[in-house]
Amino acid sequence: IRDKGGAEHVDMSEKGETKGLVSSVASNKGADKKKDLELLKDFMKKKHVDFILGLDKKTDTFEYHMTEHLRMSGIYWGATCMDLLGELGKMDKEKIIKFIFDCQHENGGFSGNINHDPHLLYTLSAVQILALFGELDKLDKEKVAAYVVDLQQKDGSFIGDKWGEVDTRFSYCALNCLALLGKLDKADVKKATSFVSKCRNFDGGYGAVPGAESHAGQIFCCVAALAIGGALEDVDGNLLGWWLCERQLPCGGLNGRPEKREDVCYSWWVLSALSILKKVPWISREKLAKFILACQDDKDGGISDRSENMPDVFHTFFGVETEDLSNIKKRSTKY
């Protein structure tokens, strides 16, 4: 799920029966392999697969209707998680592809659900899902790229949609989307990375806009955007690496900002940024893995933000992603 610089993309490199955690453990040797296998025995793969497959059947729940606006991203989280677990074939590909194109608008952008407004966040999710299923050729890439490029502002930033909100998340979404489409040259990449660099703070971290507080989620987006845009040299790797590794708490989990509680989703945001910076050893991956495993629902499957809470597809995706990333030594990727 990472490019040469570590930015998040869709991985198409492993097509075996098992992937992610299992395959990464197989590639380790000696003490590392023994330790990974010990952790892996507590990973509830079958329950997580059943949890994800059951989500689309719970259409009468409060949670289903409250998340209507982000259905596209929900499908991306679920499908990518299934791919990492080696079970993507169990997803209803035809139904998913139809839904994606039902969410596309005349301007080329995609919405989070049918009859919703198009947005850059969901456009990236749509492109990622199509890449995951090997169906990017069904897309009018020029049209989608034109939609993305039209959202770039004079200062290099990107707005998420026609309403004009600027956020470094959108810079990442735009560059990632264009890179997957093979259309990165359509945008002003230099201006885009320049804007992201202006969002760097004294602590080495990055915020949503210049002067905004450093936040682990924004840091991933900014570092990944700079990696995709070929401007990773703008990052103070040691200073930022220190800020990121300080996010690990005694329980092994990671938080998104100082003085906040641990949360499984920040495991991904922090670890992925450390991966891009090649500083994953700066945290204890064993403690992190144990924290995530403790957040599994041993009855219904799925992973929650913390062990005392209910699981959801968002945290299940980031939990599986982090376990996968933390166990990988080397990995080649197509996207």
Side-chain angles (χ1 to χ4, degrees):
I1 311 260
R2 287 146 294 277
D3 68 6
K4 293 186 293 182
E8 182 188 13
H9 296 300
V10 181
D11 177 46
M12 305 288 287
S13 62
E14 297 173 329
K15 291 298 177 185
E17 201 164 305
T18 56
K19 298 173 62 173
L21 283 168
V22 178
S23 61
S24 64
V25 166
S27 68
N28 289 342
K29 297 180 180 180
D32 278 344
K33 182 175 181 179
K34 184 177 180 181
K35 191 177 295 184
D36 288 341
L37 287 170
E38 184 65 24
L39 288 172
L40 189 61
K41 70 180 178 62
D42 295 321
F43 183 72
M44 305 172 187
K45 174 184 172 180
K46 185 179 185 305
K47 286 185 178 294
H48 297 328
V49 169
D50 292 341
F51 172 78
I52 293 169
L53 291 177
L55 290 173
D56 203 40
K57 300 173 183 177
K58 301 175 182 178
T59 58
D60 59 343
T61 64
F62 174 77
E63 291 80 6
Y64 184 86
H65 291 285
M66 286 301 293
T67 56
E68 175 187 336
H69 64 289
L70 48 76
R71 190 76 68 231
M72 185 72 75
S73 291
I75 293 173
Y76 168 67
W77 298 328
T80 304
C81 191
M82 290 290 282
D83 189 46
L84 288 169
L85 295 172
E87 303 289 354
L88 185 62
K90 292 184 177 180
M91 301 287 280
D92 190 336
K93 176 180 173 179
E94 187 176 336
K95 181 180 178 181
I96 290 173
I97 300 302
K98 182 182 183 304
F99 172 81
I100 290 174
F101 284 103
D102 284 345
C103 291
Q104 189 171 25
H105 293 250
E106 283 299 316
N107 62 6
F110 292 82
S111 52
N113 209 324
I114 299 169
N115 295 324
H116 286 230
D117 291 338
H119 195 285
L120 191 49
L121 288 171
Y122 308 121
T123 299
L124 172 60
S125 290
V127 170
Q128 287 175 313
I129 297 166
L130 290 171
L132 189 69
F133 282 105
E135 299 290 351
L136 271 180
D137 288 342
K138 290 185 176 180
L139 200 60
D140 184 338
K141 297 178 184 178
E142 291 287 348
K143 188 175 183 179
V144 178
Y147 166 77
V148 174
V149 171
D150 191 51
L151 295 172
Q152 187 169 26
Q153 305 302 292
K154 291 181 179 180
D155 64 354
S157 65
F158 284 83
I159 55 176
D161 58 14
K162 64 181 181 181
W163 303 112
E165 180 187 8
V166 172
D167 191 309
T168 47
R169 289 177 302 154
F170 308 148
S171 297
Y172 161 70
C173 288
L175 295 182
N176 191 355
C177 189
L178 291 171
L180 287 170
L181 295 171
K183 305 292 182 182
L184 194 57
D185 60 321
K186 299 290 185 180
D188 191 328
V189 177
K190 187 174 181 179
K191 271 192 175 182
T193 56
S194 176
F195 172 79
V196 171
S197 293
K198 290 175 183 175
C199 298
R200 191 175 78 183
N201 294 317
F202 71 94
D203 54 15
Y206 294 79
V209 293
E213 178 185 14
S214 295
H215 185 283
Q218 302 294 154
I219 287 171
F220 161 72
C221 290
C222 291
V223 173
L226 291 171
I228 295 171
L232 203 53
E233 67 276 4
D234 291 347
V235 179
D236 186 333
N238 287 332
L239 182 60
L240 178 55
W242 182 252
W243 189 94
L244 289 167
C245 75
E246 284 191 320
R247 304 280 61 77
Q248 189 161 39
L249 302 176
C251 66
L254 300 163
N255 63 19
R257 293 173 288 167
E259 305 303 323
K260 296 294 183 178
R261 290 193 67 185
E262 68 282 358
D263 188 315
V264 164
C265 70
Y266 290 121
S267 303
W268 164 252
W269 305 125
V270 173
L271 195 67
S272 58
L274 286 171
S275 177
I276 296 172
L277 299 173
K278 296 181 171 53
K279 298 187 187 302
V280 171
W282 284 26
I283 66 168
S284 170
R285 72 184 184 91
E286 184 177 359
K287 286 184 177 180
L288 177 59
K290 287 180 178 179
F291 164 73
I292 296 172
L293 291 172
C295 294
Q296 298 177 112
D297 187 314
D298 57 7
K299 180 183 178 183
D300 300 317
I303 299 173
S304 57
D305 58 345
R306 287 180 285 276
S307 59
E308 68 269 23
N309 295 331
M310 296 292 290
D312 57 70
V313 66
F314 178 82
H315 289 93
T316 301
F317 164 67
F318 285 117
V320 172
E321 264 287 83
T322 304
E323 289 283 24
D324 179 62
L325 179 58
S326 67
N327 281 287
I328 289 178
K329 301 299 182 186
K330 292 182 180 179
R331 188 177 188 167
S332 62
T333 58
K334 181 176 180 181
Y335 291 103

